[in-house]
Amino acid sequence: MRRLISRRHMLRGAAAGATGLAGLAALAACGETKVVTKEVPVKETVIKEVPVEKIVRQTEIKEVPVEKIVTQQVEKIVTQTVEVQKVVEVEKVVKETVEVEKVVTKEVQVMVEAPPETRTVKIEHATDHTSGPRGAAMSWAIERFAVQRPDIKVKFIPQDHIYYEKIAIEAVAGTLSETNLLNGVSFQQFVGAGIWLQIDDILAKKDGYDPSNYWFQPDIYSDNRDQSYPYDATRLQGPLYGMPYQGALGGLMYNINLFEGAGATQPTEGMRYSDLLEEMKKIRDPENDVWGIRATRSEQFQVFPQMYGYNNGQARVEGPNGHQIWGPPLDDGWRGWQDIVDYIHVENVSYTPEERSGLSGEFGSPFSAGKQAVEIGGSVYGTGGRIPTIRDRFQWSLGPMPWGENTDHANFEWNDQPHIVAGTATVTGVEEQAVDWVYFLSGPEVQGRVSIDRGHLPTWKDVANFPEAVAAPPEGMHHLYEYIANPNLRAMQWYVPGGFYSEIRSLWRPVMDGALVGEISAQESTDTASEKVNNLLAKFQEQLNNGDVKR
């Protein structure tokens, strides 16, 4: 908005230097008047009166610099003198003329750009990043944003990490916070109901916004409805309702001292799972309760990557309308799960689930206690939680992920919990500000801070080039960014019509646990889990076809 503003410039001209202007001065001789016996020519100066606004008299005459006033209109009036001669007895009177600048005031109209009206707004931000390295990074981000954007007050709304029911209730009630840390399933359940705010147009106006700067996983803050593998992971593709933030990724972490002490070969590129097993056997020390690895049914970060090694990553088939029909890896994939179960019951390099707590002691896990040589799973993206417990008791490192038994490469699973902008931002009138906030959280400044606190995987690609991101401890931090850049990376949060991933897990995990404790075989557990999960997906598909659910 522009305003026309009239200003009367009462320019003071020479007033700024008034004390330095030469005034009129009279110098007269004191005492009696002498009679002159002869005529003496005396010059008489006739003074022409000049009207001036102000004359300052001084006892001495000196030149004074006068400031130049650009915006004034000045009339300069110079007096002229006329000389005549006359014989007369007079007191000597000397008068000088002074040049005086006459200041003329003038009204000037100036067009001034009025500053935009600003207002301070409040945004509610719901997240479970309340403690540890994740909480530290979030607190830093809020404080930093307050400095950069004092017009936006971010109100921190803590929530439990099991927030699915909370989100569902608030979404229906229309009481969602303007920005929310969510997972892909929570996002997908309500995207068709208009709960979230589409932000593509607002993002496009941001200086420096480049969709190729982020690690992108579709259908967790976008509505692409396609996660076929391989998918185009090079740039964000809309429609977008949020921005990436909390990456999670599987990889390999190992105890350097245990390998060196046993004379075992440390993990190297090209080492297969079977090769790594032989090295773990060398490290296994029953007398000192030292183990090779932990066998888990963590489908994202241990089970699926090892299963993919037997069938080149075939895990899903194409369903109707681009929907992915989920299930355990196809064909010989079950053999990867068999290898994990055998770590406990055949090879004796892994402890049982019941033995874990006794080995962890005060350190939280057997690996942190120095009792486990290798950890394959999601610990690699949250090393900030291990640093305070491991300290300098032993050296540890990230390393190359093993290759599959039937492949010439490693396989990886990852997911992301993004920040979603709710439609609440439209109701409260803070759409632009809410997008500014999630854009800031996903950018290099905050993601760089995440790489220092190490509570999760940064999703800004160039973090890999930050020296602090790859600094020890642990050693080998550069491997984390090699994992995420691997061409055999798969998205975990697939498109599930109509239901929560937690429903799938509730069917899958109990069956897998049965294999870990030796109640059923590995192949039997995958067959049973596959049947249960596919029946659930068939129900979801029927609900979708009948229009009972949006997704």
Side-chain angles (χ1 to χ4, degrees):
M1 179 174 66
R2 302 172 65 88
R3 295 180 181 171
L4 180 63
I5 301 176
S6 294
R7 293 183 179 173
R8 180 175 297 275
H9 298 281
M10 301 302 294
L11 304 177
R12 303 183 185 280
T19 59
L21 287 177
L24 296 179
L27 302 176
C30 299
E32 296 181 355
T33 304
K34 285 188 176 182
V35 177
V36 182
T37 59
K38 65 176 181 178
E39 292 184 359
V40 178
V42 179
K43 289 185 179 181
E44 178 176 330
T45 304
V46 178
I47 310 301
K48 180 181 178 181
E49 288 187 6
V50 180
V52 296
E53 289 188 6
K54 185 177 181 182
I55 298 175
V56 181
R57 297 183 181 277
Q58 298 183 160
T59 58
E60 63 180 14
I61 309 303
K62 61 180 180 179
E63 293 182 2
V64 179
V66 180
E67 293 182 6
K68 182 179 180 182
I69 302 175
V70 179
T71 59
Q72 294 176 337
Q73 179 177 340
V74 178
E75 293 181 11
K76 181 182 282 188
I77 303 174
V78 182
T79 63
Q80 297 180 349
T81 64
V82 180
E83 293 186 0
V84 296
Q85 290 186 352
K86 184 178 180 180
V87 179
V88 66
E89 290 182 357
V90 295
E91 294 180 352
K92 280 187 178 179
V93 180
V94 180
K95 294 184 179 181
E96 272 189 27
T97 63
V98 180
E99 292 185 358
V100 181
E101 291 186 345
K102 181 178 180 182
V103 180
V104 180
T105 63
K106 185 178 181 181
E107 186 174 279
V108 181
Q109 288 186 340
V110 181
M111 299 297 293
V112 178
E113 184 75 27
E117 294 184 2
T118 60
R119 64 188 181 107
T120 300
V121 302
K122 182 182 73 173
I123 294 174
E124 289 189 354
H125 178 69
T127 179
D128 61 355
H129 288 202
T130 57
S131 62
R134 293 181 182 180
M138 181 55 64
S139 295
W140 183 92
I142 291 174
E143 292 174 5
R144 182 66 177 158
F145 190 69
V147 173
Q148 296 185 15
R149 294 297 302 271
D151 58 312
I152 303 176
K153 304 299 182 185
V154 177
K155 182 179 180 181
F156 185 91
I157 306 295
Q159 63 184 13
D160 188 87
H161 70 286
I162 306 298
Y163 51 78
Y164 312 119
E165 291 185 2
K166 168 186 176 291
I167 293 296
I169 293 171
E170 291 180 348
V172 174
T175 58
L176 276 169
S177 299
E178 283 86 359
T179 59
N180 305 265
L181 182 72
L182 297 181
N183 64 4
V185 178
S186 297
F187 165 76
Q188 276 291 338
Q189 188 183 35
F190 295 107
V191 67
I195 298 298
W196 316 122
L197 175 68
Q198 189 171 330
I199 64 174
D200 299 78
D201 292 343
I202 301 176
L203 281 175
K205 295 185 291 185
K206 302 298 178 189
D207 291 339
Y209 172 64
D210 183 352
S212 66
N213 286 333
Y214 310 88
W215 293 115
F216 171 56
Q217 186 172 139
D219 293 327
I220 62 172
Y221 50 91
S222 64
D223 194 21
N224 308 115
R225 308 190 194 186
D226 181 15
Q227 290 203 33
S228 56
Y229 175 79
Y231 60 86
D232 182 2
T234 59
R235 57 187 292 115
L236 274 65
Q237 301 176 56
L240 301 174
Y241 298 83
M243 295 294 288
Y245 182 70
Q246 178 194 316
L249 176 69
L252 182 146
M253 187 167 67
Y254 68 98
N255 184 317
I256 296 174
N257 297 107
L258 289 180
F259 272 84
E260 290 180 344
T265 301
Q266 297 180 28
T268 56
E269 186 67 29
M271 179 180 285
R272 299 185 185 277
Y273 284 97
S274 55
D275 299 326
L276 180 62
L277 173 61
E278 295 305 313
E279 303 308 314
M280 292 190 296
K281 288 179 179 180
K282 299 175 185 178
I283 297 170
R284 172 73 171 107
D285 183 357
E287 292 184 2
N288 294 301
D289 271 341
V290 173
W291 299 82
I293 194 171
R294 177 192 176 194
T296 75
R297 50 93 169 103
S298 170
E299 62 275 354
Q300 296 182 75
F301 305 134
Q302 185 180 29
V303 177
F304 284 174
Q306 198 153 344
M307 285 180 164
Y308 295 150
Y310 280 97
N311 60 11
N312 205 26
Q314 299 301 312
R316 311 175 184 93
V317 295
E318 187 77 9
N321 301 319
H323 300 162
Q324 298 301 304
I325 301 302
W326 180 90
L330 306 175
D331 303 326
D332 286 342
W334 66 271
R335 293 177 57 190
W337 174 235
Q338 179 73 67
D339 290 344
I340 294 173
V341 172
D342 287 348
Y343 289 157
I344 297 175
H345 302 291
V346 177
E347 307 296 349
N348 193 33
V349 294
S350 173
Y351 45 85
T352 65
E354 292 78 15
E355 294 171 317
R356 182 178 186 275
S357 59
L359 295 169
S360 300
E362 61 183 293
F363 302 104
S365 72
F367 184 89
S368 296
K371 297 291 186 179
Q372 177 183 326
V374 176
E375 176 102 335
I376 292 180
S379 296
V380 295
Y381 70 80
T383 55
R386 303 279 184 136
I387 293 173
T389 56
I390 295 176
R391 299 190 297 277
D392 58 355
R393 291 184 298 105
F394 59 84
Q395 282 187 292
W396 52 305
S397 179
L398 271 58
M401 192 75 155
W403 287 10
E405 294 305 305
N406 294 337
T407 62
D408 59 357
H409 56 75
N411 295 279
F412 300 89
E413 283 271 7
W414 85 293
N415 65 50
D416 177 18
Q417 286 190 246
H419 286 127
I420 306 295
V421 181
T424 314
T426 301
V427 178
T428 56
V430 295
E431 292 179 338
E432 295 273 354
Q433 293 89 341
V435 175
D436 286 346
W437 168 235
V438 299
Y439 180 64
F440 173 72
L441 291 173
S442 66
E445 194 169 0
V446 176
Q447 294 295 307
R449 179 67 195 192
V450 167
S451 75
I452 296 173
D453 292 307
R454 300 180 183 177
H456 56 87
L457 170 74
T459 52
W460 178 268
K461 290 182 179 179
D462 281 350
V463 167
N465 300 318
F466 296 176
E468 58 272 22
V470 295
E475 306 290 336
M477 278 299 298
H478 63 279
H479 288 293
L480 180 67
Y481 303 101
E482 293 172 358
Y483 300 157
I484 188 67
N486 191 289
N488 299 289
L489 183 74
R490 290 157 180 79
M492 182 61 188
Q493 294 288 0
W494 48 81
Y495 181 81
V496 179
F500 287 115
Y501 176 51
S502 59
E503 293 182 64
I504 293 176
R505 279 180 167 169
S506 68
L507 299 177
W508 165 277
R509 287 186 167 179
V511 180
M512 305 294 279
D513 285 339
L516 286 177
V517 298
E519 294 177 350
I520 57 177
S521 69
Q523 185 172 13
E524 184 181 359
S525 67
T526 55
D527 289 345
T528 303
S530 179
E531 181 180 1
K532 288 178 176 290
V533 168
N534 285 332
N535 287 339
L536 178 62
L537 288 172
K539 184 190 75 173
F540 289 161
Q541 187 66 64
E542 183 179 359
Q543 291 174 337
L544 184 65
N545 294 340
N546 293 337
D548 297 333
V549 295
K550 295 293 184 181
R551 291 288 182 267

